[in-house]
Amino acid sequence: MMAGRGNRLSTFLIATLILMFTGGPVLLALYGSLVPDRVLLSRETSVFDYGLSLESYRYVFFGELPPSYLVEGANRSMISDAARQVPQSLWNSARIALSAMALNILLGAPAAYVFARYAFPAKKLSFMFIILSPLVPTTALVVPIYMLMQSLGLIGSIYGIILVHTAQALPFTVLILSVFFRKLPTELFEAAMLDRCTGFQGFIRIAVPLALPSIGATGLFAFMLSYSEYIFSLVLSGEARSRPVSVVMAALARNTDVSWSLLNTSIFIAIIPTLVLVVLVWRFVVEGLLSGSVKG
């Protein structure tokens, strides 16, 4: 009994530490976005003296300057114009990441199925090429990819960024899904062939339903990778209207005089899409994977 209680206590403490480490920065960003700088940077005042404020959110979304920066002598350099780009950049990142996720699933799942279930010439060589391609340093690919996108007329367009982000995540998608498809019982596909199902029908009717949790997990990874990618987004985005949120946040963070409240507001707004996506797919992906492991 004592050993069981000790294990539960240690598990609870470790889980609490992990939650604090992962969720703590999000809560701090939310707190910092709702508290004015005069409270954050002062030891003599507290949030109970001034209360919570949405003035930073009003500036980000509507351009309304906080009242504290309208008075004479206020340091207006703490208000960065980059913060006004956050809503548009957030929309750009959402479109880019969702498109990269969809393309990864549409291209990666059939490719993984072919690698897992079929034999064809140069199969091992092509598979190793796909899997080892992420080992090439990103900095070595910036110039060639920029020249390629320039020749295609995609510089300054989100379509070029979508293509690059899709290519970045595809090796992981193919690797994970091919491992899953390889473990599916061969008898299922043999029975489908007896029922006159083609290879494509077997993929759609048998492999895809069984692989939905894994497909959801790899799609989520592709979204996260695209949403947080910076180097190619910076090089290919061009004007402010097509910049993803990672580029705008980097520009905002480089301003050493920026308001802490404004910076925290931008950080929390940038986190919201990933939090929403995780909440939406968490139950489907995690419970599906757990149930699959129990049944196996």
Side-chain angles (χ1 to χ4, degrees):
M1 287 293 292
M2 293 298 295
R5 291 180 180 177
N7 291 334
R8 287 195 295 269
L9 180 60
S10 60
T11 301
F12 174 77
L13 292 176
I14 293 173
T16 302
L17 289 175
I18 294 175
L19 180 62
M20 291 176 60
F21 182 78
T22 56
V26 178
L27 295 178
L28 287 175
L30 175 60
Y31 174 78
S33 68
L34 296 174
V35 176
D37 285 344
R38 57 184 176 272
V39 177
L40 284 175
L41 304 178
S42 175
R43 295 183 179 180
E44 300 178 356
T45 58
S46 68
V47 66
F48 299 104
D49 297 326
Y50 291 94
L52 301 178
S53 173
L54 296 175
E55 57 186 26
S56 295
Y57 288 92
R58 286 195 290 269
Y59 174 75
V60 170
F61 288 104
F62 307 109
E64 180 182 336
L65 282 174
S68 57
Y69 294 99
L70 295 176
V71 299
E72 185 178 355
N75 185 7
R76 290 183 175 83
S77 65
M78 296 179 69
I79 297 297
S80 173
D81 290 336
R84 293 283 292 121
Q85 300 175 15
V86 170
Q88 177 62 40
S89 67
L90 200 64
W91 171 238
N92 292 337
S93 286
R95 289 187 294 166
I96 292 170
L98 288 173
S99 299
M101 180 179 69
L103 286 175
N104 257 272
I105 293 173
L106 291 175
L107 300 177
Y113 181 76
V114 170
F115 276 114
R117 311 300 305 186
Y118 293 92
F120 54 89
K123 172 182 175 180
K124 291 184 178 180
L125 181 62
S126 58
F127 187 76
M128 290 299 295
F129 177 80
I130 292 174
I131 299 307
L132 296 180
S133 59
L135 298 181
V136 180
T138 302
T139 52
L141 299 174
V142 171
V143 174
I145 288 180
Y146 179 85
M147 295 175 64
L148 175 62
M149 293 301 161
Q150 188 178 42
S151 65
L152 296 174
L154 295 178
I155 299 297
S157 168
I158 66 171
Y159 301 111
I161 304 176
I162 291 172
L163 291 177
V164 174
H165 288 184
T166 301
Q168 280 187 302
L170 262 178
F172 177 85
T173 302
V174 173
L175 174 61
I176 296 300
L177 293 182
S178 63
V179 171
F180 182 87
F181 288 142
R182 195 176 293 117
K183 292 182 179 180
L184 294 178
T186 307
E187 292 79 6
L188 292 175
F189 300 95
E190 292 176 350
M193 291 179 63
L194 292 176
D195 290 336
R196 298 182 180 180
C197 282
T198 64
F200 180 74
Q201 289 174 333
F203 168 69
I204 295 296
R205 297 181 180 181
I206 298 176
V208 170
L210 293 175
L212 279 180
S214 296
I215 292 174
T218 54
L220 179 61
F221 173 82
F223 180 93
M224 296 296 187
L225 184 65
S226 173
Y227 191 81
S228 60
E229 199 279 327
Y230 172 70
I231 295 180
F232 289 115
S233 299
L234 174 65
V235 173
L236 302 177
S237 58
E239 299 178 359
R241 61 181 177 82
S242 59
R243 288 174 187 165
V245 71
S246 58
V247 177
V248 172
M249 290 303 302
L252 188 61
R254 285 197 299 267
N255 185 353
T256 56
D257 294 328
V258 69
S259 162
W260 281 101
S261 178
L262 190 61
L263 180 59
N264 279 294
T265 300
S266 303
I267 292 173
F268 185 73
I269 293 173
I271 294 173
I272 289 177
T274 57
L275 293 178
V276 172
L277 185 65
V278 168
V279 170
L280 291 176
V281 304
W282 175 263
R283 183 173 181 179
F284 169 73
V285 172
V286 175
E287 289 191 1
L289 291 175
L290 290 177
S291 62
S293 63
V294 172
K295 292 177 183 179

